Amino acid sequence: MTQPERPTPARRAVLGAAGAAVLGGSTVLAAGTAQAVQSAVAPDAVPRQSAKGHGHGHGHHGLPVPTVIGHRGASGYRPEHTLGSYQLALDLGADIVEQDLVPTKDGHLVCRHENEIGGTTDVADHPEFASRRTTKTVDGVALTGWFTEDFTLAELKTLRAKERIPATRQENTLYDGRWAVPTFEEVLRWAEQEGRRRGRPVWLYVETKHPSYFRALGLGLEERVARLLRRYGRHRADSAVFLQSFEPSSIQRLARLVDTPGVVLLSAAGTRPWDFVEAGDPRTVTDLVKPAGLRWIASYAQGIGPTIDLILPRTADGRLGTETTLVRDAHAQGLILHPYTQRNENAFLPAEYRRGTDPNAYGDAFGALKRFFETGIDGIFSDNADTALLAAADFRDR
C-alpha cells in the first residue's frame, strides 16, 4: 500500500508565503518557494517577543518566540543528520538547526542520532564491514549493529546515509544514498558559509550523545566539542549555539570549558539520567522538574528540553491530559523551555489531533502546535519546520 498523497514542503512553502504577508513578510512568490517562506517567517522578518511583551516566553539573544528548532534538520522530509536535511531546514526558515554528536574510532565528531548506524546508513551493504557487526550495551541497553566508535572517519565516509523510519516516511527513501555522514566540523563550516550568504548567524543546537559511555572509552565528547567551538568562534555566551545533553554532568563539564548556553534534556517522568545511574544519584526526572531540581539546573544551565509529555501528559487513550506547572516553574528559575518533538504524522500526534486511520498520514498538526504554544513554551523541536513556523506565526499574530 502506498501512502496517500500529501503536500510537499515546497507546496506548503507557497501557502506559507502567501499567508505570511500579515506579518510584514514578502508577498512575492518567486520560483524558489522554500526561499519565499524563509523570507516570510525567518527571524529577521518577525517581531522579537519576550516574557513581558507576550505574557510568557523568554527570547534568547533575539530569537523569535516560539522558536522553531529543525529536529535533526528537516527530518520529516530528508534522511536525518545529513547536510541535505540541515540545508532544507534552514531554507524552510527554521530558527535553529539541530545536530547530535558521536565520535569515530579516531576521535572525530560526526552527526548521528545514535552511535549504532545500521538503521541510518548503508553499512549493512558493505561486505568489508560485515565482521564489525556486534552487540554492545549502551546506557544499560543491549544493541546489535555497527557502531561509529569502531570506524575511522575515512571508513565512515565510505558509507551513505538513509532514512531511519522508511515505513513511516516512504517519500524520504528517495534520498537514500545521496549524502554522506557529516562531521561536526563540516557543519560548522556550512553554518559559516550560510551565515555569510544570508547576512545573519546560523543557529545550531548541539547534543552530546551518551557522554558517559564515550568517556569510558577514552573518547570524551565535551573537550572535542569545546575545541571546535573555540576554533569557529562559537564558545561565547552570545554565540549562536545551544549545547544540550540528557546527562546533566555533560552540560556541567561543558560550562567549565565554554560559555555557550547549555540545555538539560529531560526524558520521561520517573526515568534517571544515565550519569545519575552510574554515580548512584537516586534523583529521577520527576525530581528534576520540581522547583528544587529546576533551581539546581539553573545554577549551571540556561534551559531545559523536556519531552512535551512532562508539560502536557497523555491520558490512557492517548489524548492530552491536565497541564503541569513545569513551564511556570522553569520560567520562575529563569530557564527557557524547548520541548521535543513535534511531528506531523498521526502516529506521533495526541489522539484528538489525529485524522483518519492511516498512522502515516498527516493529522491536525496545527491544532496540536497551537495547544503546545498556549502552555508558554519558548520553542519546540520539530521534524517539520515549515509547519511549526506557520503555527508559530499564527500564534504570534493572535
Side-chain angles (χ1 to χ4, degrees), residues 101-114:
L101 301 184
V102 293
T104 64
K105 182 179 182 179
D106 47 350
H108 294 276
L109 296 177
V110 295
C111 301
R112 290 287 88 187
H113 176 55
E114 292 291 343

PDB file of all heavy atoms in Angstrom, residues 101-114:
ATOM      1  N   LEU A 101      25.837  14.482  18.253  1.00  0.00           N
ATOM      2  CA  LEU A 101      27.242  14.157  18.014  1.00  0.00           C
ATOM      3  C   LEU A 101      27.654  12.850  18.684  1.00  0.00           C
ATOM      4  O   LEU A 101      27.359  12.618  19.864  1.00  0.00           O
ATOM      5  CB  LEU A 101      28.137  15.276  18.533  1.00  0.00           C
ATOM      6  CG  LEU A 101      27.911  16.668  17.938  1.00  0.00           C
ATOM      7  CD1 LEU A 101      28.946  17.648  18.480  1.00  0.00           C
ATOM      8  CD2 LEU A 101      27.932  16.644  16.417  1.00  0.00           C
ATOM      9  N   VAL A 102      28.351  12.026  17.906  1.00  0.00           N
ATOM     10  CA  VAL A 102      29.005  10.815  18.408  1.00  0.00           C
ATOM     11  C   VAL A 102      30.405  10.774  17.795  1.00  0.00           C
ATOM     12  O   VAL A 102      30.659  11.404  16.765  1.00  0.00           O
ATOM     13  CB  VAL A 102      28.209   9.546  18.034  1.00  0.00           C
ATOM     14  CG1 VAL A 102      26.871   9.511  18.755  1.00  0.00           C
ATOM     15  CG2 VAL A 102      28.002   9.451  16.525  1.00  0.00           C
ATOM     16  N   PRO A 103      31.353  10.046  18.419  1.00  0.00           N
ATOM     17  CA  PRO A 103      32.723  10.033  17.902  1.00  0.00           C
ATOM     18  C   PRO A 103      33.029   8.829  17.025  1.00  0.00           C
ATOM     19  O   PRO A 103      32.375   7.783  17.110  1.00  0.00           O
ATOM     20  CB  PRO A 103      33.556   9.983  19.187  1.00  0.00           C
ATOM     21  CG  PRO A 103      32.721   9.140  20.108  1.00  0.00           C
ATOM     22  CD  PRO A 103      31.279   9.431  19.764  1.00  0.00           C
ATOM     23  N   THR A 104      34.055   8.986  16.214  1.00  0.00           N
ATOM     24  CA  THR A 104      34.628   7.870  15.472  1.00  0.00           C
ATOM     25  C   THR A 104      35.764   7.261  16.285  1.00  0.00           C
ATOM     26  O   THR A 104      36.184   7.803  17.313  1.00  0.00           O
ATOM     27  CB  THR A 104      35.176   8.330  14.113  1.00  0.00           C
ATOM     28  OG1 THR A 104      36.258   9.258  14.347  1.00  0.00           O
ATOM     29  CG2 THR A 104      34.104   8.993  13.281  1.00  0.00           C
ATOM     30  N   LYS A 105      36.271   6.153  15.801  1.00  0.00           N
ATOM     31  CA  LYS A 105      37.368   5.457  16.473  1.00  0.00           C
ATOM     32  C   LYS A 105      38.589   6.346  16.641  1.00  0.00           C
ATOM     33  O   LYS A 105      39.291   6.286  17.660  1.00  0.00           O
ATOM     34  CB  LYS A 105      37.726   4.200  15.673  1.00  0.00           C
ATOM     35  CG  LYS A 105      38.822   3.334  16.260  1.00  0.00           C
ATOM     36  CD  LYS A 105      39.044   2.122  15.377  1.00  0.00           C
ATOM     37  CE  LYS A 105      40.114   1.189  15.951  1.00  0.00           C
ATOM     38  NZ  LYS A 105      40.296  -0.011  15.072  1.00  0.00           N
ATOM     39  N   ASP A 106      38.823   7.216  15.636  1.00  0.00           N
ATOM     40  CA  ASP A 106      39.988   8.100  15.694  1.00  0.00           C
ATOM     41  C   ASP A 106      39.641   9.490  16.221  1.00  0.00           C
ATOM     42  O   ASP A 106      40.379  10.450  16.009  1.00  0.00           O
ATOM     43  CB  ASP A 106      40.682   8.183  14.332  1.00  0.00           C
ATOM     44  CG  ASP A 106      39.735   8.412  13.166  1.00  0.00           C
ATOM     45  OD1 ASP A 106      38.500   8.332  13.368  1.00  0.00           O
ATOM     46  OD2 ASP A 106      40.212   8.667  12.044  1.00  0.00           O
ATOM     47  N   GLY A 107      38.512   9.603  16.919  1.00  0.00           N
ATOM     48  CA  GLY A 107      38.246  10.805  17.697  1.00  0.00           C
ATOM     49  C   GLY A 107      37.583  11.953  16.992  1.00  0.00           C
ATOM     50  O   GLY A 107      37.497  13.045  17.558  1.00  0.00           O
ATOM     51  N   HIS A 108      37.065  11.753  15.777  1.00  0.00           N
ATOM     52  CA  HIS A 108      36.337  12.819  15.087  1.00  0.00           C
ATOM     53  C   HIS A 108      34.871  12.791  15.506  1.00  0.00           C
ATOM     54  O   HIS A 108      34.296  11.719  15.736  1.00  0.00           O
ATOM     55  CB  HIS A 108      36.445  12.653  13.575  1.00  0.00           C
ATOM     56  CG  HIS A 108      37.826  12.829  13.044  1.00  0.00           C
ATOM     57  ND1 HIS A 108      38.364  14.065  12.745  1.00  0.00           N
ATOM     58  CD2 HIS A 108      38.807  11.915  12.783  1.00  0.00           C
ATOM     59  CE1 HIS A 108      39.594  13.921  12.310  1.00  0.00           C
ATOM     60  NE2 HIS A 108      39.896  12.627  12.320  1.00  0.00           N
ATOM     61  N   LEU A 109      34.262  13.966  15.599  1.00  0.00           N
ATOM     62  CA  LEU A 109      32.844  14.057  15.932  1.00  0.00           C
ATOM     63  C   LEU A 109      32.020  14.047  14.656  1.00  0.00           C
ATOM     64  O   LEU A 109      32.261  14.839  13.737  1.00  0.00           O
ATOM     65  CB  LEU A 109      32.565  15.337  16.715  1.00  0.00           C
ATOM     66  CG  LEU A 109      33.230  15.456  18.085  1.00  0.00           C
ATOM     67  CD1 LEU A 109      32.928  16.817  18.703  1.00  0.00           C
ATOM     68  CD2 LEU A 109      32.773  14.331  19.015  1.00  0.00           C
ATOM     69  N   VAL A 110      31.044  13.151  14.594  1.00  0.00           N
ATOM     70  CA  VAL A 110      30.163  13.058  13.432  1.00  0.00           C
ATOM     71  C   VAL A 110      28.716  13.194  13.891  1.00  0.00           C
ATOM     72  O   VAL A 110      28.392  13.009  15.067  1.00  0.00           O
ATOM     73  CB  VAL A 110      30.361  11.739  12.665  1.00  0.00           C
ATOM     74  CG1 VAL A 110      31.758  11.675  12.074  1.00  0.00           C
ATOM     75  CG2 VAL A 110      30.101  10.531  13.568  1.00  0.00           C
ATOM     76  N   CYS A 111      27.857  13.514  12.949  1.00  0.00           N
ATOM     77  CA  CYS A 111      26.453  13.800  13.248  1.00  0.00           C
ATOM     78  C   CYS A 111      25.591  12.568  12.971  1.00  0.00           C
ATOM     79  O   CYS A 111      25.330  12.230  11.813  1.00  0.00           O
ATOM     80  CB  CYS A 111      25.970  14.984  12.410  1.00  0.00           C
ATOM     81  SG  CYS A 111      26.921  16.491  12.681  1.00  0.00           S
ATOM     82  N   ARG A 112      25.197  11.909  14.045  1.00  0.00           N
ATOM     83  CA  ARG A 112      24.279  10.766  14.013  1.00  0.00           C
ATOM     84  C   ARG A 112      23.432  10.835  15.270  1.00  0.00           C
ATOM     85  O   ARG A 112      23.904  11.212  16.345  1.00  0.00           O
ATOM     86  CB  ARG A 112      25.008   9.433  14.020  1.00  0.00           C
ATOM     87  CG  ARG A 112      25.789   9.050  12.777  1.00  0.00           C
ATOM     88  CD  ARG A 112      24.898   8.651  11.604  1.00  0.00           C
ATOM     89  NE  ARG A 112      24.522   9.830  10.812  1.00  0.00           N
ATOM     90  CZ  ARG A 112      23.660   9.842   9.819  1.00  0.00           C
ATOM     91  NH1 ARG A 112      23.020   8.733   9.496  1.00  0.00           N
ATOM     92  NH2 ARG A 112      23.402  10.948   9.154  1.00  0.00           N
ATOM     93  N   HIS A 113      22.185  10.406  15.153  1.00  0.00           N
ATOM     94  CA  HIS A 113      21.326  10.367  16.335  1.00  0.00           C
ATOM     95  C   HIS A 113      21.821   9.341  17.342  1.00  0.00           C
ATOM     96  O   HIS A 113      21.703   9.529  18.556  1.00  0.00           O
ATOM     97  CB  HIS A 113      19.891  10.057  15.935  1.00  0.00           C
ATOM     98  CG  HIS A 113      18.963   9.904  17.099  1.00  0.00           C
ATOM     99  ND1 HIS A 113      18.823  10.879  18.061  1.00  0.00           N
ATOM    100  CD2 HIS A 113      18.147   8.877  17.470  1.00  0.00           C
ATOM    101  CE1 HIS A 113      17.952  10.473  18.977  1.00  0.00           C
ATOM    102  NE2 HIS A 113      17.535   9.273  18.648  1.00  0.00           N
ATOM    103  N   GLU A 114      22.369   8.255  16.851  1.00  0.00           N
ATOM    104  CA  GLU A 114      22.925   7.217  17.711  1.00  0.00           C
ATOM    105  C   GLU A 114      24.265   6.759  17.157  1.00  0.00           C
ATOM    106  O   GLU A 114      24.549   6.912  15.965  1.00  0.00           O
ATOM    107  CB  GLU A 114      21.975   6.009  17.801  1.00  0.00           C
ATOM    108  CG  GLU A 114      20.680   6.290  18.541  1.00  0.00           C
ATOM    109  CD  GLU A 114      20.898   6.514  20.036  1.00  0.00           C
ATOM    110  OE1 GLU A 114      21.976   6.151  20.556  1.00  0.00           O
ATOM    111  OE2 GLU A 114      19.973   7.045  20.683  1.00  0.00           O
TER     112      GLU A 114
END
